[in-house]
């Protein structure tokens, strides 16, 4: 009988510790807002409205840019655009998101790049205005800049 009580007590203690561990487990981190719009100027390659979408997992974050105003000049295969998106940090400095990620696009299709990977810290506030997006396609670098602040506001990472 005494062995059963000890085993039951041990099982309850382990269960209580497990529940306590869950209660104090870190919450999933989130970025707010999850998407924002900008107006981009890509020089001779066009410009117009674009949407940035952000995700966060700890200190890792991704940004994806989609624009119906900027279109593919010719057919592009998946993962053929090397991209570097520089975002301006509130208080100074910048954070770079980069990668070679894009869907396949036919000539005239809206341009989409990402998800581009970067590293963030808790409390980082990142804005596209003042930064740039550089896309290299077939050895040609296209640079786009935001013509104003993103709306509804900068991305703030938890």
């Amino acid at each position: 009988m005494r062995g059963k009580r000890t085993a039951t007590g041990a099982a309850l203690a382990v269960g209580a510790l497990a529940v306590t561990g869950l209660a104090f487990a870190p919450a999933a981190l989130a970025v707010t807002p999850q998407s924002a719009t900008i107006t981009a100027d890509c020089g001779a390659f066009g410009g117009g409205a674009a949407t940035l979408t952000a995700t966060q997992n700890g200190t890792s974050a991704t940004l994806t840019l989609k624009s119906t105003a900027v279109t593919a000049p010719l057919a592009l295969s998946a993962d053929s655009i090397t991209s570097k998106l520089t975002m301006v940090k509130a208080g100074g400095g910048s954070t770079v998101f980069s990668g070679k990620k894009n869907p396949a696009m036919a000539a005239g299709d809206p341009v989409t790049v990402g998800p581009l990977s970067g590293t963030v810290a808790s409390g980082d506030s990142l804005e596209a205005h003042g930064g740039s997006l550089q896309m290299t396609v077939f050895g040609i670098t296209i640079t786009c800049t935001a013509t104003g602040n993103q709306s509804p506001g900068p991305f703030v990472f938890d």
Side-chain angles (χ1 to χ4, degrees), residues 19 25 48 52 59 79 81 88 104 108 112 139 144 146:
V19 169
L52 289 165
T59 59
D79 302 333
I81 302 173
V88 176
T112 299
C144 300

Side-chain angles (χ1 to χ4, degrees), residues 46-151:
T51 301
L52 289 165
T53 304
T55 63
Q56 179 184 6
N57 185 5
T59 59
S60 297
T62 63
L63 285 176
T64 301
L65 180 135
K66 295 180 183 182
S67 176
T68 56
V70 179
T71 58
L74 48 112
L76 300 168
S77 59
D79 302 333
S80 62
I81 302 173
T82 301
S83 302
K84 181 174 123 180
L85 175 62
T86 303
M87 301 286 286
V88 176
K89 276 185 177 182
S94 62
T95 300
V96 174
F97 294 83
S98 60
K100 195 169 185 176
K101 290 285 192 185
N102 63 275
M105 293 175 258
D109 278 357
V111 168
T112 299
V113 293
L116 306 176
S117 301
T119 302
V120 296
S122 181
D124 277 356
S125 177
L126 303 179
E127 165 70 53
H129 189 225
S132 66
L133 170 64
Q134 291 182 331
M135 300 176 285
T136 303
V137 184
F138 301 121
I140 299 168
T141 299
I142 302 161
T143 301
C144 300
T145 57
T147 60
N149 291 340
Q150 65 191 46
S151 177

Side-chain angles (χ1 to χ4, degrees), residues 2-58:
R2 186 173 196 174
K4 284 185 179 181
R5 281 189 206 170
T6 303
T8 302
L12 288 173
V14 169
L17 286 173
V19 169
T20 303
L22 288 174
F24 292 107
L29 299 177
V31 57
T32 52
Q34 292 181 334
S35 67
T37 57
I38 60 169
T39 300
D41 178 5
C42 301
F45 295 95
T51 301
L52 289 165
T53 304
T55 63
Q56 179 184 6
N57 185 5

